[in-house]
DNA sequence: AGTCCACAGGAAGGGCAGGCGA
DNA sequence: TCGCCTGCCCTTCCTGTGGACT
């Protein structure tokens, strides 16, 4: 048999008519002209922020809603419009967007301030300066710019959970020391109870306005997907039922439009690779694929010790139906470490790592009491067992375990 | 009602790497 | 080179906890 060369493959690929007309319409970076079912939220946010165009500091705003409900899209859309107008009319306005979930970028007080100071051209090292000094740098740069700044802190709950709420208090207090500028904060959070956990002094200095985004229902999701599908795919390249199925899947997951769009994109890519039109079967395959991609991505980013702990958990659970407990996982982990010459952490630290694996969804760990036999975590796998076994094999190879 | 177990999880601090200015 | 600052990972020490057992 003559082997097909990569050259032939690419030739064929270029000749073939693609399912996609504009695949970008199904990506996160795509910015639609209008945002369906979010008129109220757009108007409310625009009303709150509008004073900035007259150089009056607007109220701080908190935006709540489940993932994929259009929060970030709406905020970016409103601020784009404001920036267009401010450029046209020479209004001194600047918006800065920071995602507090981005590790090593904006996930600590120091890093956020350093990023902000850099936005104004100040050269701040990634570590080394006292936080106070970075505050001073940012203050003076901001004041010198004589601009009104709207600071968007996306996933603000992640920041506060990690670093406490002091940073929010300090950011709101900056205004007191500014002569020529001011700063307003737009906080975006997936956690609707986020503000309840803030200290009263922070709450009073921060939360002046709130906008709440409710989840999309299946009908709304379908219409959103319909619009994107028309932009993304060529005519007759997909089955009408595909969009409905993607919408239904996403509606089950608290109306997450982001997930629905990703599902449609992956289903399209799978169909394209199979040289077929996009039908319902590819949506099922895409759902499985997305699930696996998420898990693999999480595992790839785990530290060595977290991988060791996860491997120990899979090893214990793979051959039984009953859950595991912290103590036995620690024992198994210790043996694994000593067998492989790896430094063993304390049980205290292991407990934290189990908590982290739980919050990542890799395992389900519930605290239970076994009465006289103590209090512990009851641990089950958060992923499919067969898939966990495959992961355990790949971890074994990755870590070169004996 | 008191005891006991097997942890959970908070607080404090050590050690390290990376960066700065003197 | 040294002292000082940061973030990060980790340990040690400690108190708290829920329910079975006595």
């Amino acid at each position: 048999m003559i082997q097909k060369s990569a050259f032939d493959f690419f030739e064929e690929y270029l000749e073939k008519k693609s399912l996609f007309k504009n695949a970008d319409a199904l990506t996160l970076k795509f910015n639609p002209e209008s945002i369906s079912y979010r008129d109220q939220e757009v108007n409310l946010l625009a009303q709150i922020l509008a004073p900035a165009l007259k150089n009056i500091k607007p109220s701080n705003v908190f935006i709540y809603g489940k993932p994929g409900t259009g929060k970030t899209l709406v905020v970016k859309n409103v601020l784009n419009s404001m920036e267009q107008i401010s450029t046209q009319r020479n209004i001194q306005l600047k918006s800065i967007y920071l995602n507090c979930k981005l590790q090593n970028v904006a996930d600590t007080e120091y890093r956020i301030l350093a990023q902000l100071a850099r936005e104004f051209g100040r050269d701040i090292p990634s570590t080394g300066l006292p936080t106070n000094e970075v505050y001073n740098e940012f203050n003076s740069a901001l004041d010198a710019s004589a601009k009104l700044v709207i600071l968007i802190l996306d996933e603000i709950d992640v920041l506060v959970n990690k670093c406490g709420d002091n940073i929010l208090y300090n950011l709101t207090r900056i205004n007191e020391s500014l002569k020529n500028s001011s700063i307003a904060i737009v906080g975006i959070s997936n956690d609707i109870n986020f503000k309840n956990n803030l200290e009263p002094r922070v709450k009073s200095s921060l939360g002046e306005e709130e906008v709440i985004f409710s989840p999309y229902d299946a009908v709304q999701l379908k219409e959103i997907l319909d619009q994107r599908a028309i932009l993304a795919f060529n005519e007759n390249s997909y089955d009408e039922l595909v969009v409905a199925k993607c919408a239904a899947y996403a509606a089950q997951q608290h109306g997450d439009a982001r997930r629905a769009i990703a599902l449609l994109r992956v289903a399209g890519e799978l169909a394209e690779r199979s040289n077929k039109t996009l039908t319902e079967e590819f949506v099922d395959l895409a759902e499985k694929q997305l699930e696996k991609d998420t898990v693999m991505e999480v595992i790839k980013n785990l530290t060595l010790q977290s991988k060791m702990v996860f491997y120990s958990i899979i090893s214990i659970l793979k051959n039984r139906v009953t859950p595991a407990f912290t103590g036995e996982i620690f024992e198994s982990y210790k043996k694994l470490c000593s067998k492989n010459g790896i430094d063993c952490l304390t049980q205290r630290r292991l407990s934290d790592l189990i908590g982290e694996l739980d919050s990542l969804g890799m395992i389900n760990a519930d605290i239970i009491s076994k009465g006289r036999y103590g209090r512990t975590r009851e641990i089950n796998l958060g992923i499919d067992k067969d898939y966990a076994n495959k992961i355990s094999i790949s971890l074994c190879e990755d870590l070169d375990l004996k």
Side-chain angles (χ1 to χ4, degrees):
Chain A
M1 197 177 113
I2 301 167
Q3 203 182 358
K4 220 181 193 181
S5 72
F7 185 85
D8 292 335
F9 169 80
F10 289 132
E11 287 261 292
E12 255 179 51
Y13 177 81
L14 288 171
E15 287 301 312
K16 197 173 68 186
K17 189 171 182 258
S18 171
L19 294 183
F20 290 104
K21 181 165 65 185
N22 174 18
D24 280 351
L26 299 176
T27 59
L28 280 180
K29 66 180 181 188
F30 184 75
N31 206 352
E33 280 175 21
S34 66
I35 307 168
S36 305
Y37 302 106
R38 288 295 176 242
D39 293 346
Q40 259 187 324
E41 289 80 1
V42 168
N43 289 339
L44 183 54
L45 188 62
Q47 279 171 26
I48 295 168
L49 297 179
L53 294 172
K54 292 187 175 170
N55 211 19
I56 300 166
K57 181 193 145 344
S59 303
N60 297 320
V61 199
F62 266 87
I63 294 173
Y64 302 106
K66 292 267 170 76
T69 48
K71 302 181 297 292
T72 308
L73 197 60
V74 164
V75 171
K76 285 187 172 176
N77 193 287
V78 168
L79 283 159
N80 272 346
S81 306
M82 287 182 85
E83 289 209 322
Q84 269 177 27
I85 292 180
S86 62
T87 312
Q88 279 168 16
R89 304 196 175 204
N90 205 18
I91 298 165
Q92 294 301 305
L93 179 72
K94 182 179 174 70
S95 69
I96 302 172
Y97 173 88
L98 292 179
N99 187 333
C100 307
K101 215 175 178 177
L102 282 183
Q103 281 183 2
N104 305 324
V105 179
D107 56 343
T108 63
E109 182 171 18
Y110 183 93
R111 284 171 181 161
I112 285 198
L113 289 166
Q115 278 295 113
L116 292 175
R118 286 183 200 122
E119 285 281 338
F120 290 93
R122 299 290 166 107
D123 192 18
I124 306 288
S126 54
T127 64
L129 295 181
T131 311
N132 276 351
E133 207 170 314
V134 191
Y135 262 110
N136 292 339
E137 278 290 321
F138 172 55
N139 274 16
S140 69
L142 175 58
D143 222 14
S145 77
K147 282 186 174 170
L148 197 155
V149 170
I150 298 178
L151 171 62
I152 303 125
L153 294 174
D154 205 348
E155 314 257 11
I156 193 171
D157 47 316
V158 177
L159 174 71
V160 171
N161 286 340
K162 191 174 171 189
C163 312
D165 52 15
N166 219 27
I167 179 173
L168 298 183
Y169 183 68
N170 292 339
L171 281 172
T172 54
R173 296 290 297 274
I174 281 181
N175 283 313
E176 292 170 16
S177 60
L178 296 173
K179 292 190 187 94
N180 310 314
S181 310
S182 53
I183 181 166
I185 296 171
V186 177
I188 306 178
S189 168
N190 294 334
D191 177 9
I192 201 142
N193 295 315
F194 160 71
K195 224 177 89 181
N196 299 337
N197 302 326
L198 295 177
E199 264 187 61
R201 64 175 185 141
V202 184
K203 227 189 281 185
S204 68
S205 66
L206 246 189
E208 293 157 358
E209 300 278 358
E210 279 182 12
V211 184
I212 295 173
F213 282 59
S214 50
Y216 296 112
D217 61 32
V219 178
Q220 293 172 333
L221 280 172
K222 185 175 173 304
E223 198 186 309
I224 292 167
L225 278 190
D226 269 330
Q227 291 166 1
R228 295 286 185 107
I230 290 167
L231 293 171
F233 294 112
N234 281 312
E235 228 172 304
N236 300 325
S237 59
Y238 66 98
D239 189 333
E240 285 295 319
L241 293 170
V242 166
V243 173
K245 190 156 190 171
C246 288
Y249 263 131
Q252 283 167 14
Q253 297 184 357
H254 53 253
D256 186 342
R258 213 181 302 164
R259 174 88 181 178
I261 291 167
L263 202 55
L264 189 58
R265 189 191 68 244
V266 174
E269 286 167 356
L270 291 172
E272 173 104 337
R273 262 178 247 163
S274 318
N275 286 327
K276 290 182 180 164
T277 49
L278 174 52
T279 53
E280 279 182 274
E281 59 173 315
F282 288 106
V283 180
D284 293 324
L285 291 174
E287 172 72 9
K288 284 184 190 147
Q289 167 94 41
L290 276 177
E291 198 68 41
K292 286 185 180 174
D293 285 353
T294 315
V295 172
M296 281 319 287
E297 192 59 30
V298 170
I299 289 173
K300 209 172 75 188
N301 290 318
L302 292 178
T303 59
L304 166 69
Q305 292 293 357
S306 290
K307 283 178 183 167
M308 295 288 283
V309 174
F310 190 48
Y311 182 83
S312 305
I313 294 171
I314 298 176
S315 304
I316 289 176
L317 290 175
K318 69 179 171 190
N319 293 321
R320 68 189 223 197
V321 280
T322 51
F325 303 106
T326 305
E328 58 179 325
I329 287 169
F330 185 51
E331 288 307 314
S332 158
Y333 160 82
K334 271 198 296 194
K335 278 183 199 155
L336 187 68
C337 286
S338 73
K339 205 168 150 189
N340 291 280
I342 293 171
D343 286 342
C344 180
L345 301 178
T346 57
Q347 184 158 344
R348 174 68 189 87
R349 181 66 187 140
L350 178 115
S351 174
D352 282 342
L353 295 185
I354 288 175
E356 283 170 22
L357 288 172
D358 182 30
S359 65
L360 288 169
M362 309 301 289
I363 56 172
N364 297 316
D366 298 318
I367 298 162
I368 57 150
S369 173
K370 294 197 285 178
R372 191 182 168 79
Y373 305 102
R375 215 165 150 252
T376 182
R377 278 198 180 104
E378 191 181 71
I379 297 156
N380 287 296
L381 285 170
I383 55 175
D384 178 69
K385 215 168 201 174
D386 290 337
Y387 188 48
N389 282 333
K390 284 183 190 158
I391 288 172
S392 127
I393 294 165
S394 95
L395 276 177
C396 192
E397 286 168 4
D398 178 27
L399 304 174
D400 201 16
L401 297 177
K402 289 167 196 158

